[in-house]
Amino acid sequence: MNRLLVILILLFPIISFNGCEEDELDKPTNVRLKVSMEELELSEEKTLKAGKPMQIDNGRMVIESIEFDGTRENAKDYYFSESFENGLIGDLGQNKLNLDVTFDIPQGVYHPAEITLNLQPVDTPHSFTLRGTYNMPPIEETQLEFAFFENRESITLKVQNTNGNKKVLFKKGETKTLNIEVNLNQLFARFNPGSLNNANVTQEGNTRKIIVAPDQNEALYDKLVDRIDKSMRAVLK
C-alpha cells in the first residue's frame, strides 16, 4: 500500500505536467473569414486582339459549408466543419460576406492546413458567378455573366501566409484573417477576350448580354471552369 502511494505521488507531477502541456497546445488563435476579388488587368496584347477591353466588376460565391483540416507539428491534428443554413454569400464586388464568420484554431505550426469551400446554389441556379461588360464591335457595350457550378462543388485550398509559404503559424491569443482571394488575372490567363465576339448574345429588354454557363456558350465555359480552383488562394494575415 505504501509502495503504491509512493508511485502515485511520483507520477502525479508528470500527469499534471502533460495535462498542462496539452491545455497549452489547445489555446486558440481567433480567425475571421473574408473574401476578396483581384481586379482584372488585361495586357496590351490581349486588348489589341480583342479590339475593346473586357471588365469584371462584380461576382457572387455561395458557400454551403466550410471544412478546416490541419496537420500540426508536435501536436494533434485539427479538423472542424461549419454549415450555413441559408448559405454564406461572398459579394466579390464589395469584398465582403453576408455573415460575420469567426472560428478558433488551436495554436501551433500547421503543414499543411487546408480549407474546403463547399459551394451550393441558393436562390440562384449557380453558386459562383462573375459579372461585367465587354465592348463588342462596333463599340457596343454588352453585359457579361460567367455562371459556374449548378451542383455542389468542393474547392480545397492550402492555407498560406502572405509570403506564399504553406507552413503557417497560429499563435495563441492572436486574431488573424483568413482571406479567400479570387485572382481574375489567373482565371483569365489563357482566355482571349476576342473570343467573345463570336459568342451567342441574349437580348434582355434593351440590354445585350453574353451568358457563359454550362448550357450557354459551352466552349467558353469549358475554357474557364477548370481554372477556378487554380485562381483562388487562402491567405492567412
Side-chain angles (χ1 to χ4, degrees):
M1 180 66 181
N2 290 338
R3 180 179 298 178
L4 178 61
L5 184 60
V6 170
I7 292 172
L8 288 174
I9 291 172
L10 291 174
L11 284 177
F12 182 75
I14 299 173
I15 295 170
S16 298
F17 177 78
N18 288 337
C20 291
E21 186 176 31
E22 288 182 5
D23 289 344
E24 184 69 20
L25 290 171
D26 287 337
K27 288 185 176 179
T29 300
N30 184 255
V31 180
R32 173 168 274 104
L33 189 67
K34 291 191 175 181
V35 295
S36 67
M37 181 171 69
E38 183 178 333
E39 185 178 355
L40 179 63
E41 298 176 1
L42 295 175
S43 67
E44 289 184 5
E45 180 183 3
K46 285 186 177 180
T47 301
L48 289 172
K49 284 180 181 178
K52 299 295 176 182
M54 178 180 74
Q55 182 176 344
I56 303 294
D57 52 24
N58 205 346
R60 188 173 188 262
M61 179 165 51
V62 185
I63 303 170
E64 175 197 52
S65 62
I66 60 173
E67 300 173 55
F68 179 93
D69 192 0
T71 301
R72 194 161 43 147
E73 294 185 354
N74 304 316
K76 292 179 181 178
D77 298 342
Y78 183 70
Y79 171 88
F80 87 91
S81 63
E82 184 171 353
S83 298
F84 308 98
E85 183 177 355
N86 298 312
L88 177 64
I89 313 298
D91 183 334
L92 300 177
Q94 298 294 322
N95 291 338
K96 64 180 183 180
L97 295 166
N98 66 326
L99 301 173
D100 185 23
V101 178
T102 61
F103 43 85
D104 289 339
I105 302 294
Q107 70 164 331
V109 176
Y110 289 77
H111 190 220
E114 295 179 336
I115 186 166
T116 298
L117 310 175
N118 296 309
L119 307 185
Q120 178 73 41
V122 174
D123 299 330
T124 56
H126 304 90
S127 61
F128 187 84
T129 55
L130 299 171
R131 296 185 179 87
T133 55
Y134 177 61
N135 290 326
M136 294 184 71
I139 315 178
E140 185 173 4
E141 185 175 273
T142 302
Q143 297 297 308
L144 276 178
E145 180 175 316
F146 297 91
F148 302 96
F149 309 138
E150 295 176 299
N151 302 307
R152 192 175 194 267
E153 183 75 18
S154 296
I155 297 177
T156 298
L157 307 170
K158 283 186 167 57
V159 178
Q160 57 186 278
N161 62 23
T162 54
N163 295 321
N165 192 336
K166 293 182 174 64
K167 179 182 282 191
V168 291
L169 172 64
F170 292 88
K171 292 181 67 175
K172 66 178 180 180
E174 289 189 345
T175 298
K176 293 280 191 178
T177 296
L178 183 57
N179 193 34
I180 306 300
E181 300 179 354
V182 179
N183 187 328
L184 292 180
N185 296 295
Q186 184 71 23
L187 176 59
F188 289 97
R190 300 177 184 175
F191 185 82
N192 179 7
S195 60
L196 292 168
N197 290 336
N198 300 317
N200 294 325
V201 178
T202 301
Q203 195 74 31
E204 297 182 355
N206 296 323
T207 303
R208 291 165 54 87
K209 190 174 187 179
I210 295 175
I211 300 174
V212 178
D215 57 351
Q216 297 185 65
N217 294 301
E218 295 94 329
L220 298 177
Y221 178 89
D222 291 340
K223 289 180 180 179
L224 294 170
V225 65
D226 291 334
R227 295 187 59 80
I228 290 177
D229 59 340
K230 300 177 181 63
S231 71
M232 298 174 68
R233 301 190 306 164
V235 181
L236 186 68
K237 298 180 179 182

